[in-house]
Amino acid sequence: MSTEITDQVRDRYASVAASSLSSEHAGVRAVAEAFGYTPEELASIPAEANMGLSCGNPTAFAHLRPGETVVDLGCGGGLDVLLAAPKVGAAGKAIGIDMTPEMIARARQNAAKQGLQNVEFHLATIDELPLAAASVDCIISNCVINLAPDKRAVFREMFRVLKPGGRVAVSDIALKRPLPEEIGKDILAYVGCIAGAISIADYERDLKDAGFGTVQILDTGKNLKAYSQVEYQAGCISPAMSSSAQLPMTQSCCGSSASTAQSSELHRALMDLLSRYDVNDYAASVQVYALKGR
């Protein structure tokens, strides 16, 4: 099952990377701003780095400092890496990890547009990081860990690569109460960042089991229905955009007809499923803090 999930997630996000989703679309911008990005932050990076896939803004609470090495798990098009790079400065490094080749290619293109010299991107899964032990000051991630089939392995890797005293500042989806069985067993709901989420209590326990001594998880209270503003978005919790949205319905936000058709079909199915449930009753956008002892 884990291989099937990984393949589904990779294929799904490859179609996102191949699309033209960007901050140039009002709905995509609205999602990013709903989860904590400022208009100034979005304007400071290439529009293509933002595809409306966030559930928070980890760089806003990671307290990054010049000279630090920060790693983004599941970097997508490079949104958070590009925002982190100026914070850590020329003496620091911002590293993106993603398992989807198309996302890595998009992230590298965006970094090249910025002319950044202190960023790098690696094609890898987040449960097997291509990084040395005790080499990282801070780990960030944005709505990605919920997609990993083996989260405990991810947490162990996070602990391994962090330096003593290193920290975690992650935005993610976690459960407030068990999902209805219909959602919990739906592969589209998994790819849509719902069915793969674990409870807040399990999240805290598993981080502590991995070795983290200090763990805090905060429910941000953000409205997860914000994702509905993006037409055919191939990412988290995203039914089709309504006809009242600012992106004309005759304009596809995806790069190819095949990509558009796939996204449309899958999202109609997911939208039908979620129309019968309010995801806010079950799941939450959370800020996850953890500290590795010295």
Side-chain angles (χ1 to χ4, degrees), residues 10 14 17 98-106 123:
R10 184 182 286 110
D98 205 284
M99 70 172 184
T100 307
E102 293 84 352
M103 282 294 187
I104 291 292
R106 185 162 176 158
L123 181 65

Side-chain angles (χ1 to χ4, degrees), residues 118-140:
N118 65 336
V119 303
E120 60 186 57
F121 297 96
H122 298 278
L123 181 65
T125 57
I126 62 174
D127 59 353
E128 293 186 50
L129 298 175
L131 303 171
S135 62
V136 174
D137 296 289
C138 182
I139 290 175
I140 61 175

Side-chain angles (χ1 to χ4, degrees), residues 7-286:
D7 290 345
Q8 288 270 2
V9 170
R10 184 182 286 110
D11 290 348
R12 192 80 165 110
Y13 286 90
S15 72
V16 183
S19 79
S20 62
L21 284 169
S22 78
S23 289
E24 293 181 355
H25 296 119
V28 174
R29 255 194 336 272
V31 168
E33 292 179 7
F35 288 109
Y37 294 95
T38 67
E40 293 75 20
E41 284 177 315
L42 296 177
S44 72
I45 59 176
E48 294 79 11
N50 171 35
M51 291 168 276
L53 302 176
S54 305
C55 62
N57 178 3
T59 61
F61 59 88
H63 304 294
L64 297 173
R65 297 181 288 268
E68 289 191 319
T69 295
V70 57
V71 174
D72 181 15
L73 304 185
C75 64
L79 170 61
D80 294 314
V81 172
L82 300 188
L83 290 176
K87 295 178 183 292
V88 299
K93 184 176 291 185
I95 301 171
I97 306 292
D98 205 284
M99 70 172 184
T100 307
E102 293 84 352
M103 282 294 187
I104 291 292
R106 185 162 176 158
R108 286 173 175 160
Q109 290 170 0
N110 289 325
K113 290 178 183 178
Q114 292 289 88
L116 295 170
Q117 302 299 314
N118 65 336
V119 303
E120 60 186 57
F121 297 96
H122 298 278
L123 181 65
T125 57
I126 62 174
D127 59 353
E128 293 186 50
L129 298 175
L131 303 171
S135 62
V136 174
D137 296 289
C138 182
I139 290 175
I140 61 175
S141 187
N142 199 339
C143 213
V144 170
I145 293 175
N146 68 80
L147 294 168
D150 190 349
K151 294 167 184 60
R152 294 173 70 88
V154 174
F155 297 151
R156 290 193 297 269
E157 277 292 87
M158 291 163 61
F159 188 84
R160 180 185 69 82
V161 303
L162 278 173
K163 299 174 182 178
R167 65 198 183 279
V168 170
V170 162
S171 294
D172 206 2
I173 301 292
L175 299 182
K176 298 183 285 189
R177 63 189 179 105
L179 292 168
E181 184 176 3
E182 183 181 15
I183 294 180
K185 293 185 175 180
D186 192 281
I187 188 65
L188 294 182
Y190 194 106
V191 175
C193 302
I194 309 170
I198 57 177
S199 72
I200 292 173
D202 286 349
Y203 215 123
E204 181 177 358
R205 180 204 65 203
D206 290 350
L207 280 167
K208 289 182 176 178
D209 286 349
F212 291 97
T214 301
V215 178
Q216 186 178 28
I217 302 176
L218 302 178
D219 181 346
T220 66
K222 300 293 186 182
N223 182 6
L224 297 179
K225 291 183 177 179
Y227 292 108
S228 65
Q229 297 179 81
V230 184
E231 181 191 19
Y232 300 146
Q233 179 184 314
C236 294
I237 318 175
S238 51
M241 187 165 65
S242 69
S243 59
S244 62
Q246 297 180 47
L247 181 63
M249 294 303 289
T250 56
Q251 175 187 349
S252 168
C253 64
C254 299
S256 68
S257 58
S259 175
T260 301
Q262 180 190 39
S263 293
S264 176
E265 179 183 358
L266 292 174
H267 276 84
R268 276 195 293 267
L270 182 57
M271 180 172 61
D272 176 67
L273 181 67
L274 296 182
S275 68
R276 286 170 273 144
Y277 302 94
D278 184 349
V279 70
N280 291 301
D281 291 340
Y282 301 93
S285 165
V286 295

